[in-house]
Amino acid sequence: MMRRRKHKINKIMAYFYMPLFFAILGYAIVAVTLSPVINTVIAAGSLIISSAGQNTDEVKSYYEGEITVKQPKEGEKIPVEEIDFPYSGTKFGELSCDRIGLSAPVYNGDSEAILINGAGKYLGSFFPGFGSTILIAGHDNLYFAELEKIQKDDIITFKTFYGIYQYKVTDIQVVEEGEQREASHLDGEKEELVLYTCYPFYPTVYEKTQRYFVYADKISGPDIEWEETK
């Protein structure tokens, strides 16, 4: 009698524990599979230096298909009035580094929507050719994933609609999230391409509190002729 009752209890408990086991197993599989997506969502808001004026309802391409480059002659400056600057949220360039396989479309602005579709130029920084800092953000598990392999002296090519620029990597730094504004070199007195992303690179489900910065000096590309107002 006791044996039959015990068997009946075990049978009832099996109906309870087996669905619970498979449910937990299913949640674990989903969590592992979606961890890069979760990481992107978490990082989207925290990666941006300042979201003021950065948000856009639409991400669009400044050009259809390949970017058409009007490359001026060597040493020739481009008058600033000849440049039709892109609106916020529009693609205006492409970043690449052949050695590490980096390839990323570049949009004007660094909103959450932009960083899902490519790399984003901070609106408070300059365009290539203006002799100052170009600050570009990207997600570590999307378009800037290859930055983990970058080294000093690597050459980064920035193809824009008005010219092709090249920058040589001079330094790589990891800083705390609270130090990223200072690390951005927005007050720089030379033309410097600054790329940054969340750190560490491997997918995680927690918010990352460090930033990975890559600094590169301009070595070629047309200058823009303009008057800086002090």
Side-chain angles (χ1 to χ4, degrees):
M1 185 72 176
M2 288 294 294
R3 185 178 299 175
R4 185 178 301 174
R5 181 179 298 177
K6 186 176 181 181
H7 176 72
K8 188 175 182 180
I9 293 174
N10 289 340
K11 189 174 181 180
I12 294 172
M13 294 304 292
Y15 282 112
F16 173 76
Y17 283 118
M18 289 305 290
L20 180 63
F21 170 76
F22 284 111
I24 294 174
L25 181 61
Y27 282 124
I29 293 173
V30 170
V32 172
T33 304
L34 296 182
S35 62
V37 177
I38 296 171
N39 183 52
T40 298
V41 172
I42 292 174
S46 60
L47 177 62
I48 301 169
I49 285 185
S50 173
S51 60
Q54 298 290 83
N55 291 327
T56 176
D57 295 327
E58 184 180 5
V59 174
K60 50 191 176 297
S61 177
Y62 195 59
Y63 298 95
E64 293 298 328
E66 284 290 316
I67 290 178
T68 302
V69 176
K70 181 183 177 182
Q71 184 72 3
K73 297 177 181 179
E74 187 174 351
E76 181 183 357
K77 291 188 176 182
I78 304 174
V80 68
E81 58 269 18
E82 291 186 6
I83 299 179
D84 185 14
F85 290 102
Y87 293 106
S88 173
T90 55
K91 175 185 172 183
F92 72 93
E94 296 169 355
L95 275 176
S96 63
C97 179
D98 292 341
R99 193 191 70 80
I100 64 172
L102 172 69
S103 179
V106 183
Y107 293 81
N108 191 24
D110 59 0
S111 68
E112 290 88 345
I114 285 173
L115 296 184
I116 295 298
N117 289 275
K121 185 189 79 68
Y122 174 57
L123 292 178
S125 68
F126 286 78
F127 287 91
F130 279 83
S132 195
T133 302
I134 308 134
L135 179 62
I136 299 179
H139 282 310
D140 62 289
N141 56 352
L142 290 174
Y143 290 92
F144 273 7
E146 304 302 331
L147 282 186
E148 185 178 19
K149 301 180 289 187
I150 206 161
Q151 298 175 0
K152 287 185 180 180
D153 297 329
D154 278 343
I155 303 299
I156 301 172
T157 300
F158 196 165
K159 179 181 177 182
T160 74
F161 61 93
Y162 56 85
I164 298 175
Y165 293 82
Q166 287 193 316
Y167 299 85
K168 187 176 183 178
V169 176
T170 59
D171 196 15
I172 301 164
Q173 291 184 10
V174 175
V175 303
E176 295 299 321
E177 182 181 2
E179 303 170 341
Q180 67 184 52
R181 179 167 291 275
E182 182 179 351
S184 299
H185 292 185
L186 290 173
D187 297 326
E189 297 181 353
K190 64 178 179 179
E191 179 147 336
E192 185 177 38
L193 178 65
V194 180
L195 310 179
Y196 79 104
T197 187
C198 290
Y199 186 84
F201 281 86
Y202 54 83
T204 58
V205 294
Y206 58 86
E207 184 175 359
K208 298 180 182 182
T209 60
Q210 291 181 308
R211 300 292 178 263
Y212 184 91
F213 277 82
V214 175
Y215 303 93
D217 286 347
K218 178 187 170 187
I219 58 175
S220 69
D223 292 329
I224 307 301
E225 195 172 42
W226 68 298
E227 291 184 7
E228 184 178 4
T229 55
K230 298 294 185 181

